[in-house]
Amino acid sequence: MADEFPFEISPMFEGERVRKDDMYVELAGPKSKGFELVNAVETDEIEDGKFTLIGPDISDMEEGGRYPLAMIYRIAGELVEPDLEAIVERRNHDFQNYIQGVMHLNQRYDVWLRINKDSIAKGLNSFEDIAKATMMLFTNELPFIEKIEATYITDMEKVEEELAKAMERYAARDERTRNLHDEDVDTFYGCSLCQSFAPTSVCVITPDRIALCGAINWFDGRAAAKVDPEGPQFPIEKGELLDEIGGEYSGVNEVAQKLSGGEYNRIKIHSFFEFPHTSCGCFEVVGFYMPEVDGIGWVDRDYTGMAPNGLAFSTMAGQTGGGKQVIGFLGVGVNYFRSPKFIQADGGWNRVVWMPKVLKDKVLADIPAEIVDKVATEEDAQDLDTLKEFLNEKDHPVVKNWVADEDEEVDEDEESTGTSTAMPVFGMPDPAMQLNIPPMTGGGSGGIKITLKNAKVSIDKIILSSKK
Amino acid sequence: MKVVAITGKGGTGKTAVAAMLIRWLVDRDATILAIDADPDSNLPEALGDVVGQTLADQREFLLEERDNLPPDTDKELLLESRIYSILSEQHGYDLLVMGRPEGSGCYCFTNNLLRNIMDRIIKNYDLVIIDTAAGLEHLSRGIIRDVDELVVVTDGSRRGLRTAERIRDIEKELDLKVRHMFVIFNKVTPENRERLNKYAQELGLEVAGMVPFDEDIARFDLDGKALSELSGTSPAVIEMENIIMKLGI
């Protein structure tokens, strides 16, 4: 079949680089303009296999020249829908790299192509060959594409005109991907990169929760797992939804058990207190519970000062890291602050009382309007006393949890003054506030196993009572 | 395709040796990827080249911009393209500068992408020559895997030899799967030639060559002139012939 083309087609040509010395023409790329776009259309709108070129062809191009290039594919089929456009479009990269002597780099409006001199010598002189080979690969490899039509543009004015239209399509697509949530997918992704230094770390990446390092979102997980499912990023079948608010899934729990070597068997991905996500050590931000105000503060890697609990990022990171579930601390990626499910099991933003100004400004647009002025920064509060004052003054939602016993509050203030800049002592919560200690698991019938490793939490009172 | 890493203590002339090797190989029609992996070194200068951006700049770009990119951006494709765009493409060789070390954030994922990208890139060349610091940082991060030949350049000093010994230990520790390790003596004079050979033997280091002290190199260095313009009859350049035979490249 490939005989009809003046070049060979094979996955073995992937990664083939066309150096400047060997290049006949350069298309699009950082020094010119171009894009690739796949549009889903109705079956009767297109003619299968049709190719249109607007602008000069390869044979009209000067050796060593640089030209703009737009590649627009229109696809149709019973199963073709707009949601598939992005996935199909990304394959243009793969397929064009299967063509010997053609180098395709990057994506969307950043595509960059080069054609090798050897290919020209072997008879490649028209974009039609490249487009037809690419369309053939599209329909062979993605059988749901029943009809495909291609338009290539090498005329700068026309490329610019079409690019403006394409940008609108991309923007609409981005809007859709930003609105993708945990409930919309069947598969999450896991990452084991951190296990080299945090062996029990279980990193779960979902549409609503970026990896702790901030580097891997759900789409990155999907892309990496597709290339190498045995690699460091791998799919996790969600399984059964066990707790909607906390974000607990049977599939995640199974993976947690396996990945942590049995250390953890439950993870709630949107919970701070109950079976929280493990913290690797790579996290961009660490959250810390302050029982004195029943609120959660966050401090990022770049903030070198002390948080109101008297601790620096590095100290808390040291305590939290290592791939453990540490109640009272939680590592997250910055983008998690933009998640609509941000620690939703524990009140979400209504529980956030403090963060460094730079971090707050970074995510400002995503903080709910009614709480944004009530979250303190180092400019408002440097220790627990000033934080309390600030929260009280702003009537932060956590304040209503304190008022139940005002008298005791006063006593505690006195007591805690001296310790507010020392190590955190979680021993003085107001009786009215409840630290949501998770039920210890592994009980079953007869016997109880409590494992506290490297614990620095002191508890005022534990009440064990039988279920009524 | 073969990967040769050239390392050694600062000031021993490892960059000069790397530049001369590259020059010699390009003259013989090999296609080379030259990688400057030593933040303190000046391989571009020695090759008469000016490089604007580094691989580290691209890595930082991704770190800075990742939350602003379209969510489904393929970051490996993006990073690959940016690295291709900063390669200095010269006749016979491309030059990549690694740039400054990592910052404080987490680079696990980005480095993993870089590993895949570098694996793909280096396959396109007959030879990859890496000028790297004695700590072998980029090798230890695994961004460039599978070094075939590790060459330690050292001068006649005891300390230089000690560095060679230490590098051998690091190499073992890192389990780099280096096929051979060689030492090249640089700035060799007729007086110390025999003694250096003996030292190397005592330490169990295989000698790939002895580059004689060369007035021209010292002068080029002072004038900031590219070593790639050294005359083909320079004694140092002639020694490259022997070294290449010995290295089997």
Side-chain angles (χ1 to χ4, degrees):
Chain A
M1 180 150 193
D3 286 352
E4 61 189 277
F5 299 111
F7 40 69
E8 282 191 61
I9 300 171
S10 162
M12 73 181 226
F13 298 120
E14 268 191 305
E16 175 196 29
R17 168 166 163 73
V18 178
R19 295 190 58 246
K20 200 168 156 192
D21 279 349
D22 309 322
M23 178 187 91
Y24 186 78
V25 282
E26 179 164 82
L27 303 156
K31 292 176 181 159
S32 185
K33 277 191 177 153
F35 64 92
E36 63 190 9
L37 180 70
V38 167
N39 283 338
V41 297
E42 294 302 320
T43 308
D44 53 10
E45 286 179 56
I46 55 170
E47 185 186 321
D48 190 33
K50 187 180 167 194
F51 172 70
T52 312
L53 176 69
I54 302 169
D57 208 340
I58 297 172
S59 52
D60 307 320
M61 292 180 171
E62 252 173 69
E63 182 169 338
R66 181 182 297 129
Y67 300 86
L69 175 68
M71 294 171 279
I72 303 165
Y73 301 97
R74 299 202 289 161
I75 58 168
E78 207 174 319
L79 299 171
V80 169
E81 48 174 303
D83 276 349
L84 287 172
E85 287 174 355
I87 296 167
V88 173
E89 189 177 291
R90 200 57 48 79
R91 299 303 301 275
N92 191 47
H93 169 80
D94 301 336
F95 298 153
Q96 299 208 319
N97 278 321
Y98 288 180
I99 302 174
Q100 187 179 20
V102 174
M103 175 178 88
H104 178 291
L105 296 171
N106 223 328
Q107 56 212 303
R108 279 195 179 179
Y109 36 77
D110 291 321
V111 290
W112 177 11
L113 287 88
R114 280 180 176 182
I115 300 174
N116 200 312
K117 282 179 193 162
D118 284 350
S119 307
I120 306 298
K122 281 183 195 154
L124 173 63
N125 55 23
S126 172
F127 283 112
E128 182 156 14
D129 288 322
I130 295 174
K132 292 238 154 137
T134 310
M135 287 194 279
M136 178 193 81
L137 289 164
F138 267 122
T139 44
N140 284 358
E141 305 262 325
L142 307 169
F144 59 84
I145 299 174
E146 293 167 28
K147 285 168 87 178
I148 182 164
E149 196 181 287
T151 303
Y152 283 17
I153 310 169
T154 55
D155 175 87
M156 183 57 104
E157 212 171 297
K158 190 77 180 149
V159 167
E160 283 177 341
E161 192 185 315
E162 290 297 320
L163 177 60
K165 288 187 216 159
M167 292 306 274
E168 283 170 31
R169 306 282 297 218
Y170 297 135
R173 230 190 254 168
D174 290 345
E175 190 56 36
R176 279 206 301 274
T177 47
R178 285 205 175 89
N179 282 323
L180 189 80
H181 299 296
D182 292 356
E183 57 272 24
D184 302 323
V185 301
D186 297 323
T187 309
F188 294 156
Y189 294 92
C191 176
S192 60
L193 277 174
C194 287
Q195 288 214 327
S196 56
F197 58 87
T200 56
S201 171
V202 182
C203 202
V204 185
I205 302 156
T206 81
D208 288 318
R209 193 182 208 282
I210 195 162
L212 276 60
C213 58
I216 316 172
N217 68 24
W218 183 83
F219 293 96
D220 298 324
R222 186 180 67 176
K226 202 160 156 198
V227 174
D228 180 11
E230 309 290 314
Q233 288 86 38
F234 47 88
I236 300 174
E237 293 308 318
K238 257 163 68 173
E240 196 188 333
L241 176 64
L242 303 174
D243 172 3
E244 192 183 341
I245 301 298
E248 186 182 18
Y249 298 85
S250 63
V252 172
N253 286 346
E254 279 162 33
V255 169
Q257 168 104 17
K258 211 168 76 191
L259 268 189
S260 70
E263 195 85 2
Y264 307 109
N265 55 16
R266 291 181 75 183
I267 283 185
K268 296 192 173 191
I269 49 187
H270 301 298
S271 164
F272 192 94
F273 295 112
E274 201 180 38
F275 304 112
H277 193 285
T278 58
S279 297
C280 49
C282 275
F283 42 79
E284 292 186 287
V285 183
V286 63
F288 51 97
Y289 177 66
M290 291 176 280
E292 296 84 350
V293 294
D294 190 32
I296 296 167
W298 302 88
V299 60
D300 62 292
R301 194 175 280 279
D302 293 333
Y303 183 72
T304 50
M306 297 289 170
N309 63 358
L311 298 173
F313 173 86
S314 52
T315 312
M316 287 190 266
Q319 264 177 43
T320 314
K324 293 170 280 181
Q325 280 184 337
V326 186
I327 312 295
F329 293 98
L330 182 71
V332 299
V334 170
N335 224 15
Y336 186 52
F337 288 105
R338 305 190 174 104
S339 167
K341 295 189 175 55
F342 170 66
I343 58 164
Q344 66 177 10
D346 300 295
W349 278 102
N350 285 342
R351 206 66 177 272
V352 176
V353 294
W354 188 90
M355 57 209 300
K357 179 136 198 324
V358 174
L359 178 61
K360 187 181 171 185
D361 285 347
K362 216 184 229 178
V363 297
L364 204 61
D366 297 275
I367 306 178
E370 64 275 15
I371 194 89
V372 68
D373 294 330
K374 300 176 183 177
V375 177
T377 71
E378 71 274 21
E379 289 175 3
D380 309 306
Q382 302 78 37
D383 53 34
L384 290 170
D385 293 335
T386 46
L387 180 61
K388 259 187 187 174
E389 234 170 80
F390 177 89
L391 297 173
N392 223 340
E393 191 184 305
K394 298 282 179 185
D395 195 25
H396 191 289
V398 295
V399 174
K400 70 176 184 304
N401 299 340
W402 312 348
V403 292
D405 202 332
E406 203 64 70
D407 294 344
E408 195 145 330
E409 182 80 12
V410 174
D411 288 349
E412 261 175 45
D413 269 355
E414 283 162 9
E415 223 179 295
S416 62
T417 315
T419 57
S420 58
T421 52
M423 292 293 286
V425 180
F426 294 146
M428 301 166 291
D430 187 304
M433 44 171 109
Q434 252 190 316
L435 182 59
N436 294 325
I437 300 239
M440 302 288 177
T441 51
S445 60
I448 178 168
K449 180 189 169 197
I450 298 180
T451 313
L452 296 174
K453 287 184 182 171
N454 201 12
K456 293 209 169 60
V457 179
S458 72
I459 294 161
D460 201 33
K461 196 187 272 178
I462 291 183
I463 302 165
L464 296 173
S465 52
S466 60
K467 266 190 190 161
K468 295 273 154 60
Chain B
M1 197 274 305
K2 213 166 201 184
V3 180
V4 180
I6 299 177
T7 179
K9 193 170 76 73
T12 53
K14 74 178 164 67
T15 301
V17 169
M20 286 188 287
L21 266 180
I22 291 163
R23 182 234 143 109
W24 194 95
L25 289 157
V26 166
D27 279 353
R28 276 145 193 86
D29 285 337
T31 308
I32 318 276
L33 175 63
I35 301 178
D36 182 353
D38 182 350
D40 292 327
S41 101
N42 43 4
L43 185 62
E45 208 176 47
L47 290 168
D49 211 341
V50 183
V51 170
Q53 293 216 15
T54 66
L55 180 135
D57 295 332
Q58 312 318 308
R59 188 164 54 192
E60 293 306 317
F61 165 85
L62 191 61
L63 236 62
E64 293 281 314
E65 288 301 314
R66 62 191 179 195
D67 290 343
N68 303 326
L69 299 168
D72 64 343
T73 301
D74 189 316
K75 290 171 186 153
E76 187 169 325
L77 291 189
L78 173 68
L79 202 52
E80 177 181 59
S81 176
R82 290 187 73 94
I83 288 169
Y84 275 37
S85 73
I86 59 152
L87 280 177
S88 166
E89 297 184 279
Q90 303 300 327
H91 174 64
Y93 72 91
D94 293 344
L95 172 63
L96 176 66
V97 179
M98 301 299 269
R100 64 182 186 277
E102 295 165 6
S104 65
C106 171
Y107 289 81
C108 295
F109 180 66
T110 316
N111 284 345
N112 204 46
L113 299 181
L114 285 174
R115 227 163 274 148
N116 297 340
I117 294 165
M118 291 311 293
D119 275 358
R120 271 201 302 275
I121 289 187
I122 61 176
K123 284 196 188 110
N124 286 282
Y125 299 87
D126 299 323
L127 210 60
V128 180
I129 307 251
I130 308 167
D131 179 357
T132 178
L136 307 179
E137 194 218 342
H138 292 283
L139 305 183
S140 67
R141 304 244 171 244
I143 290 175
I144 300 154
R145 298 186 260 217
D146 302 333
V147 172
D148 299 299
E149 321 288 340
L150 181 63
V151 181
V152 182
V153 176
T154 176
D155 53 16
S157 71
R158 256 240 123 89
R159 280 195 307 158
L161 271 171
R162 198 126 335 120
T163 308
E165 231 187 320
R166 203 163 50 237
I167 289 168
R168 187 186 55 196
D169 296 342
I170 295 175
E171 184 269 312
K172 280 206 182 109
E173 224 171 274
L174 294 176
D175 195 18
L176 286 175
K177 299 188 193 87
V178 170
R179 273 202 285 178
H180 298 109
M181 180 171 159
F182 294 98
V183 56
I184 292 178
F185 288 105
N186 191 27
K187 304 176 194 169
V188 176
T189 60
E191 292 79 43
N192 65 8
R193 183 173 269 267
E194 272 317 299
R195 269 185 72 184
L196 291 176
N197 251 326
K198 220 177 108 220
Y199 277 150
Q201 232 165 28
E202 277 169 23
L203 295 172
L205 297 168
E206 191 172 345
V207 181
M210 295 215 155
V211 183
F213 178 77
D214 194 327
E215 295 275 354
D216 284 350
I217 296 182
R219 213 185 50 241
F220 267 56
D221 206 24
L222 264 179
D223 297 347
K225 254 171 93 180
L227 291 170
S228 47
E229 283 165 30
L230 272 174
S231 147
T233 57
S234 147
V237 174
I238 291 169
E239 179 67 6
M240 291 303 131
E241 182 101 41
N242 296 327
I243 291 171
I244 278 149
M245 293 276 282
K246 188 87 184 178
L247 295 179
I249 52 182

